Amino acid sequence: MSEEDDIILSELDDEELVQQMFDDLYDGLKEEIEEGVNILLERKWEPYDILTKALVGGMTIVGADFRDGILFVPEVLLAANAMKGGMAILKPLLVETGAPRVGKMVIGTVKGDIHDIGKNLVGMMMEGAGFEVVDLGINNSVEAYLEAMEAEGPDILGMSALLTTTMPYMKVVIDTLIEQGIRDDYIVLVGGAPLNEEFGKAIGADAYCRDAAVAVETAKEWMGRKHNSAATA
Ligand code: B1M
């Protein structure tokens, strides 16, 4: 039995446990990640802190080693799967039930892009803040966005892209909204690791959101503006 097998997560202090969770996420150990999340919850950690400090923190390390060619797609998929296991435990805790609906968002990852962890996180946090969220999943064409928007009538369109090659597709979607004369019917928010504020402005989005917490704040702010302009119209 290796030394690793002997580690009892519940016997570690908080700092050691978070470090161990980084290692377990790196190794794609879903059950251990789930156990770590449950232990931190028992220790009265806020679900949001577990998400950002233990899970997103661990995924940042995975991302750096993926970039540097130390980890490859199969390993990163396992890490992503472990992360999703932890997120599934936190989701009901982040999502308040019965909260008054403050708005509705359709969100999806753009065409050509299959990354969905960040988008899922945004969806969870938005639901937690009282938004109704319609998640279109990954690899969405202009047509898929338009169809969902027509069917769902959201206040907000959220788009996610994680690749420099797929982020320009957000502009394709926004340009189509303009062509169809419906751009101003929606608040358009965009996010994803390779984007920045300048890019958001350049493609005609209402705002770029650095992370899930910023997405919630920005959505609330824009919903407030929408109500104010409706009241004065
Ligand atoms: Co991929 N991948 N990946 N990957 N992957 C990146 C993005 C990369 C930066 C890794 C690297 O090289 N360092 C790199 C892109 C480089 C580039 O474009 N310049 C990359 C690459 C190259 C690829 C492939 C092409 C690899 C290959 O096949 N050779 C391939 C692409 C496939 C495709 O999409 N067509 C690929 C595949 C994969 C996996 C399938 C293995 C897996 C995805 C699993 C999944 O999502 N289900 C994967 C992963 C996990 C990553 C990294 C390691 C982690 C991404 C992640 O989940 N981060 C990533 C490296 C990195 O980003 N550092 C990488 C955690 C997540 C919480 O953060 O998604 O940024 P993030 O979301 C944040 C914010 O950005 C923001 O809020 C979120 C929460 O705070 N946000 C929004 C995101 N979307 C938003 C939408 C909003 C608002 C805010 O709307 C309102």
Side-chain angles (χ1 to χ4, degrees), residues 42-124:
E42 278 161 25
R43 292 184 190 173
K44 306 286 174 226
W45 272 50
E46 287 296 327
Y48 182 68
D49 284 344
I50 302 176
L51 193 61
T52 51
K53 292 183 183 151
L55 299 184
V56 176
M59 194 47 102
T60 307
I61 302 170
V62 171
D65 280 3
F66 187 32
R67 178 197 60 217
D68 297 342
I70 299 165
L71 288 180
F72 297 96
V73 170
E75 288 119 325
V76 179
L77 265 179
L78 281 176
N81 188 44
M83 171 136 182
K84 283 184 178 177
M87 279 166 65
I89 298 171
L90 297 173
K91 181 172 179 174
L93 305 171
L94 289 166
V95 175
E96 294 165 11
T97 47
R101 294 282 141 221
V102 290
K104 186 171 183 179
M105 176 168 84
V106 160
I107 188 167
T109 303
V110 297
K111 190 172 169 183
D113 201 322
I114 63 166
H115 295 85
D116 67 355
I117 296 176
K119 164 189 69 63
N120 295 348
L121 204 51
V122 172
M124 272 163 59

Side-chain angles (χ1 to χ4, degrees), residues 63-221:
D65 280 3
F66 187 32
R67 178 197 60 217
D68 297 342
I70 299 165
L71 288 180
F72 297 96
V73 170
E75 288 119 325
V76 179
L77 265 179
L78 281 176
N81 188 44
M83 171 136 182
K84 283 184 178 177
M87 279 166 65
I89 298 171
L90 297 173
K91 181 172 179 174
L93 305 171
L94 289 166
V95 175
E96 294 165 11
T97 47
R101 294 282 141 221
V102 290
K104 186 171 183 179
M105 176 168 84
V106 160
I107 188 167
T109 303
V110 297
K111 190 172 169 183
D113 201 322
I114 63 166
H115 295 85
D116 67 355
I117 296 176
K119 164 189 69 63
N120 295 348
L121 204 51
V122 172
M124 272 163 59
M125 296 282 296
M126 291 287 290
E127 283 183 3
F131 285 85
E132 184 181 346
V133 175
V134 180
D135 187 343
L136 305 182
I138 55 173
N139 195 22
N140 284 287
S141 62
V142 175
E143 294 76 22
Y145 283 113
L146 287 178
E147 203 177 299
M149 286 155 78
E150 194 175 341
E152 301 289 345
D155 306 288
I156 303 170
L157 167 64
M159 289 188 281
S160 180
L162 264 286
L163 298 171
T164 44
T165 48
T166 58
M167 54 194 245
Y169 197 76
M170 293 173 160
K171 183 168 181 332
V172 176
V173 178
I174 295 174
D175 285 350
T176 309
L177 295 178
I178 295 171
E179 272 164 37
Q180 300 201 354
I182 53 172
R183 166 64 186 88
D184 292 339
D185 296 350
Y186 306 99
I187 298 160
V188 180
L189 304 181
V190 294
L195 279 63
N196 57 32
E197 203 147 343
E198 207 181 348
F199 176 79
K201 280 202 186 104
I203 62 168
D206 289 310
Y208 153 73
C209 309
R210 191 180 63 243
D211 59 30
V214 170
V216 168
E217 285 316 308
T218 311
K220 283 184 181 164
E221 188 193 319

Side-chain angles (χ1 to χ4, degrees), residues 21 39 221:
M21 286 173 74
I39 293 170
E221 188 193 319

